[in-house]
Amino acid sequence: MAAPMGDNAAIFVREFELKNSAVLRINQYEIGDVGCVVWDAALVFSSYIQSDDFTKSYGDINTKRVVELGAGTGIVGLTSAVLGANVLITDLEDFVPLMDSNIKTNEHHIKGSAGAKALKWGDSIDDTTLQGPDFIFISDCIYYGESLVPLVDTITLLSDKHTHVIMSYEKRTSGNKPELERKFFQLIEKKFTVHPIGLERQDEVYRSEDIHLIHFMKR
């Protein structure tokens, strides 16, 4: 199901307080696809971006270029923009109104910049503003088998040797989810080195043994 559109879309708000005391108000749809709400893996990721470990490991995110893939509500990208990054939040066309609304709702907190763009994984990309960013962020996007190859292709196309690709995901054991996870890593390891970000490096509050953070660099 796509994201609901128009004035009839029922919205509820999730508040997320950052370490600098800014409170993000994230609009979510009551009905729609998985991308219409904030998932725990996105909260873990957004908290890690603010940590000393992130800065020590990957540098200060201030002024850096960030592309978020499969952003949904855009909370990870918005957190980055509040910290001073210049962010492009991307997802399918149906999600652009939701991403735009969250940028507008939180624009008074943004110290860098934030924009929303439609991006379908696997499509050719001529937009130079998306290519070669300092960071590519992905949160909880290992859902559908048919999207794995296009996702890896898009990560590969957008990144270069200096791009830090960081992904969060919740480990799921039901149905075909373990097989999807295995297949994703099989694909990504052909083109990227894979480095888990251990639980001890993550935020003391927003972390979980079921949620994993992984860092990739292009081979």
Side-chain angles (χ1 to χ4, degrees):
M1 183 183 294
M5 303 288 289
D7 295 334
N8 294 325
I11 290 175
F12 65 107
V13 175
R14 175 74 178 263
E15 292 190 347
F16 179 61
E17 184 173 357
L18 276 59
K19 290 185 178 180
N20 65 3
S21 297
V23 178
L24 296 182
R25 291 178 55 82
I26 304 298
N27 298 315
Q28 306 171 99
Y29 290 139
E30 289 185 355
I31 300 174
D33 199 278
V34 293
C36 293
V37 297
V38 175
W39 293 89
D40 288 344
L43 297 177
V44 169
F45 198 158
S46 297
S47 299
Y48 179 64
I49 294 168
Q50 303 171 70
S51 70
D52 290 339
D53 186 88
F54 180 94
T55 302
K56 291 175 183 176
S57 300
Y58 313 115
D60 190 344
I61 201 170
N62 183 46
T63 74
K64 298 297 193 300
R65 290 178 56 224
V66 175
V67 173
E68 184 182 2
L69 300 179
T73 64
I75 187 172
V76 176
L78 283 168
T79 299
S80 305
V82 171
L83 298 175
N86 299 308
V87 183
L88 288 174
I89 301 168
T90 71
D91 209 314
L92 297 173
E93 184 72 41
D94 284 344
F95 290 94
V96 171
L98 178 60
M99 297 187 294
D100 274 335
S101 74
N102 282 325
I103 291 171
K104 184 175 182 180
T105 297
N106 296 284
E107 61 186 355
H108 57 292
H109 292 307
I110 293 174
K111 292 183 171 60
S113 63
K117 284 181 177 285
L119 178 63
K120 183 180 179 181
W121 302 337
D123 283 359
S124 60
I125 301 172
D126 298 323
D127 188 344
T128 57
T129 63
L130 292 170
Q131 296 172 354
D134 299 294
F135 294 96
I136 294 175
F137 291 159
I138 310 148
S139 181
D140 236 355
C141 288
I142 308 176
Y143 266 103
Y144 307 116
E146 61 271 21
S147 71
L148 296 183
V149 170
L151 173 58
V152 172
D153 286 348
T154 297
I155 296 169
T156 304
L157 185 62
L158 293 182
S159 61
D160 58 27
K161 292 289 187 180
H162 86 274
T163 303
H164 295 283
V165 182
I166 302 178
M167 180 182 81
S168 68
Y169 72 98
E170 184 170 352
K171 192 173 186 68
R172 296 175 171 89
T173 57
S174 62
N176 67 339
K177 295 303 186 290
E179 176 61 19
L180 293 180
E181 180 184 334
R182 185 198 64 79
K183 184 177 179 182
F184 172 80
F185 281 102
Q186 186 179 58
L187 291 168
I188 202 79
E189 286 172 357
K190 293 178 180 178
K191 299 176 180 180
F192 292 81
T193 58
V194 177
H195 308 281
I197 299 169
L199 202 64
E200 73 282 355
R201 296 172 54 188
Q202 300 175 34
D203 184 83
E204 292 183 357
V205 176
Y206 285 98
R207 62 180 178 184
S208 168
E209 292 184 355
D210 295 328
I211 295 174
H212 300 272
L213 281 165
I214 312 290
H215 173 247
F216 308 121
M217 290 291 287
K218 211 167 194 178
R219 293 186 184 277

